[in-house]
Amino acid sequence: MFVFLHGLIGSAAHFDVIGARLPLHQRWMAPQIDYSAHTQEDLVDTIATRIRAEADGPVVILGNSIGCVLALELAALADHVVLSGPPFDHDTGDVPLRRGDLERFVRALFTPNMDAAVADDHVDQAVACLDRLTGSRRMLRETRRLRAMSQSFVDHPALSAFDDRVTCLVGQLDFMAPEMRLRGYLARVAPRACMQVIPDCGHAVPVEAPDAVLRVLEPWITAPACVAAQ
């Protein structure tokens, strides 16, 4: 079973291309996650319940951006965890509060070489999400909570505890996951983790590089789905 967890301003649709290319016998889910409406604990409990109820074989969990934090929270249930575009560097790329600056910020998360029509669809959705998150004082308080959740990726205990089942999938152009800094950090805290860098790719790895994601998932894509995960 494959579990795909999108980022804060992403959507379940970020995994449509990947899901469509999985064999029919492979079960997968990509829940639409409203991070601002639910606590981290509630989100983890809801997804864990679905995994336990629906898994009929090896479980691979892939998180993108803040979805990496949920993936680490669920790592004990997984045979493998893929962390794509992890939220590692919080000193760059602060979310602007002026509505007119939101689109420029979102477009910087994607490689400029993406198909324009695909990029426009995802940018429009992400800008609308950011506009909602920054549109009121109440939502700005939620944004602070979500920033703390994102920052918890660094030093998350599951990185060390489950490093033998972790792959980090990093876009070469992703300013939130600088390659050399992240590589050095993983060498210290998760030495058994694998790190792969995708050329010409930004932060939204599943959208920008579905082929690279599918290559990482290949060992489990070809595995028969017949034995319930323990």
Side-chain angles (χ1 to χ4, degrees):
M1 180 180 187
F2 296 97
V3 181
F4 302 129
L5 308 171
H6 65 76
L8 177 60
I9 57 174
S11 77
H14 280 200
F15 302 101
D16 284 354
V17 171
I18 295 168
R21 291 169 59 181
L22 294 175
L24 292 178
H25 73 275
Q26 289 288 1
R27 188 186 297 271
W28 64 281
M29 70 175 189
Q32 183 64 39
I33 305 170
D34 188 341
Y35 288 93
S36 64
H38 303 281
T39 67
Q40 177 177 320
E41 293 75 15
D42 285 346
L43 291 172
V44 170
D45 287 347
T46 298
I47 297 166
T49 297
R50 284 196 60 184
I51 292 172
R52 293 188 182 102
E54 300 178 23
D56 57 359
V59 175
V60 179
I61 301 175
L62 183 151
N64 186 233
S65 193
I66 199 174
C68 292
V69 175
L70 295 183
L72 288 173
E73 289 287 310
L74 295 160
L77 298 178
D79 295 87
H80 202 74
V81 176
V82 182
L83 306 171
S84 69
F88 179 70
D89 188 346
H90 293 85
D91 296 326
T92 59
D94 283 343
V95 176
L97 298 181
R98 293 176 52 187
R99 181 173 298 179
D101 295 331
L102 294 179
E103 181 173 343
R104 178 168 50 84
F105 171 80
V106 171
R107 286 195 181 276
L109 295 173
F110 295 87
T111 173
N113 295 325
M114 272 187 70
D115 178 86
V118 174
D120 286 347
D121 284 346
H122 290 297
V123 166
D124 288 347
Q125 175 271 321
V127 168
C129 180
L130 270 182
D131 192 26
R132 180 173 62 85
L133 284 171
T134 59
S136 70
R137 290 184 178 179
R138 183 184 69 82
M139 291 306 295
L140 283 175
R141 287 194 293 271
E142 287 299 306
T143 301
R144 287 193 287 271
R145 175 181 67 83
L146 293 168
R147 181 178 175 83
M149 176 181 170
S150 180
Q151 290 174 326
S152 73
F153 173 82
V154 179
D155 298 327
H156 195 292
L159 274 173
S160 296
F162 301 105
D163 65 337
D164 60 333
R165 64 182 79 171
V166 168
T167 295
C168 272
L169 203 52
V170 179
Q172 186 181 36
L173 306 178
D174 184 3
F175 58 80
M176 292 190 70
E179 176 185 349
M180 296 311 296
R181 285 185 56 204
L182 180 57
R183 191 181 296 280
Y185 178 75
L186 291 176
R188 294 193 304 274
V189 304
R192 295 179 294 178
C194 175
M195 179 170 160
Q196 297 186 26
V197 179
I198 309 169
D200 191 28
C201 181
H203 188 61
V205 175
V207 175
E208 301 179 54
D211 288 340
V213 173
L214 286 162
R215 284 194 293 271
V216 169
L217 301 181
E218 181 64 25
W220 296 275
I221 290 174
T222 56
C226 57
V227 180
Q230 299 299 310

